[in-house]
Amino acid sequence: MSESEYLEAYDPRAFPAVAVTVDVVALTIIGGVLHVLLVERGEPPYAGRWALPGGFIRPGEDLDQAAARELAEETGMADRVHIEQLASYGAPDRDPRMRIVSVSYLAFAPDLPDPQAGSDAADAAWYGVDRLPKLAFDHEQILGHALERARSKLEYTPLATAFVGETFTISELRRVYEAVWGAPLHAPNFHRKILSVPGFVESTGETTESGGSRGGPRARLYRAGDARLLHPALLRPEREEEIR
């Protein structure tokens, strides 16, 4: 049988139906606290419950396009967002409607605006990751994996620069690490470590216009460097204790 004959005779209905969705874990920092975007479901299943933004992929749409579209529909956000694929979830009973496999994405951006719920959501809001409502489906598991991915990536990649503007101070970068890791860091030690990592940040040659609310000296401004991996890595405080 030729390939064309095989494809002509092929019947996809001979196999159980499986749908594919995308779910997006969008993280930002508000008031020094790590927040995640949640939407209130406007229809069953789990109507009235909070969930990660997401939905079914459309015909002719690939996974990355679907994730970007869902994020834009729920929030109006399209620019300044770093987005990457996280993992896939396919437990047979994860959705009561049918067998649905979800491909999850992780998104980061600084100073994100108040979200606007899409057409299939009743509401959308930023929630501090330490004060979350009970989530629909298996979204608590997905969020847990996403937070661990984000915390780990801050150790060995320059991901923290995705949470700040094009130029930033070392103090602003430190506050990103403190928010994502959920732990205070020693400012002088952090400053020394950041500048010791080749290619992590580079000086702009400029300073802030003022020394801040306390009237101190003006701080130097930096931009992201060209490093893709950090060597040496910046370890979380608890991991440093494990190594000692």
Side-chain angles (χ1 to χ4, degrees):
M1 179 183 293
S2 67
E3 182 171 346
S4 60
E5 290 173 331
Y6 171 81
L7 292 175
E8 185 177 350
Y10 183 82
D11 184 5
R13 294 171 298 180
F15 301 92
V18 178
V20 179
T21 63
V22 292
D23 289 305
V24 181
V25 180
L27 300 174
T28 194
I29 296 174
I30 303 173
V33 176
L34 186 64
H35 283 64
V36 61
L37 176 65
L38 298 180
V39 296
E40 184 182 9
R41 290 186 57 79
E43 55 190 44
Y46 301 107
R49 288 267 292 274
W50 290 87
L52 298 170
F56 293 92
I57 62 170
R58 294 176 177 174
E61 189 176 53
D62 69 20
L63 292 168
D64 291 355
Q65 291 171 336
R69 172 182 53 78
E70 286 291 343
L71 187 60
E73 286 179 357
E74 302 291 1
T75 66
M77 299 182 297
D79 302 324
R80 299 182 306 119
V81 178
H82 169 92
I83 186 166
E84 63 183 62
Q85 195 172 120
L86 174 64
S88 299
Y89 300 83
D93 59 350
R94 64 176 303 274
D95 193 301
R97 291 170 290 189
M98 62 179 295
R99 182 71 186 272
I100 295 179
V101 174
S102 174
V103 179
S104 63
Y105 281 77
L106 189 52
F108 314 89
D111 304 323
L112 292 177
D114 291 337
Q116 298 177 350
S119 59
D120 59 347
D123 196 7
W126 292 106
Y127 272 84
V129 296
D130 56 348
R131 293 191 173 185
L132 295 171
K134 186 172 179 59
L135 302 183
F137 305 105
D138 54 358
H139 289 186
E140 291 179 11
Q141 179 188 28
I142 296 175
L143 177 57
H145 292 166
L147 291 175
E148 179 56 31
R149 165 78 70 87
R151 289 162 180 159
S152 296
K153 291 198 71 169
L154 257 62
E155 294 184 313
Y156 62 90
T157 76
L159 176 63
T161 58
F163 285 97
V164 292
E166 288 189 13
T167 63
F168 50 86
T169 67
I170 298 298
S171 294
E172 289 172 333
L173 198 62
R174 187 185 78 249
R175 287 193 283 272
V176 171
Y177 276 86
E178 291 177 332
V180 177
W181 285 350
L185 300 174
H186 187 268
N189 285 347
F190 180 83
H191 192 282
R192 174 181 54 80
K193 290 179 179 179
I194 292 297
L195 297 185
S196 69
V197 179
F200 187 4
V201 300
E202 58 183 35
S203 175
T204 65
E206 301 176 346
T207 63
T208 56
E209 294 183 358
S210 66
S213 59
R214 297 185 179 181
R218 292 186 296 178
R220 293 181 180 179
L221 288 171
Y222 296 84
R223 65 171 66 94
D226 58 4
R228 293 296 174 262
L229 294 175
L230 305 185
H231 184 73
L234 300 173
L235 299 182
R236 283 171 275 182
E238 63 267 26
R239 281 171 49 80
E240 286 187 332
E241 290 297 326
E242 292 174 1
I243 294 174
R244 288 175 185 171

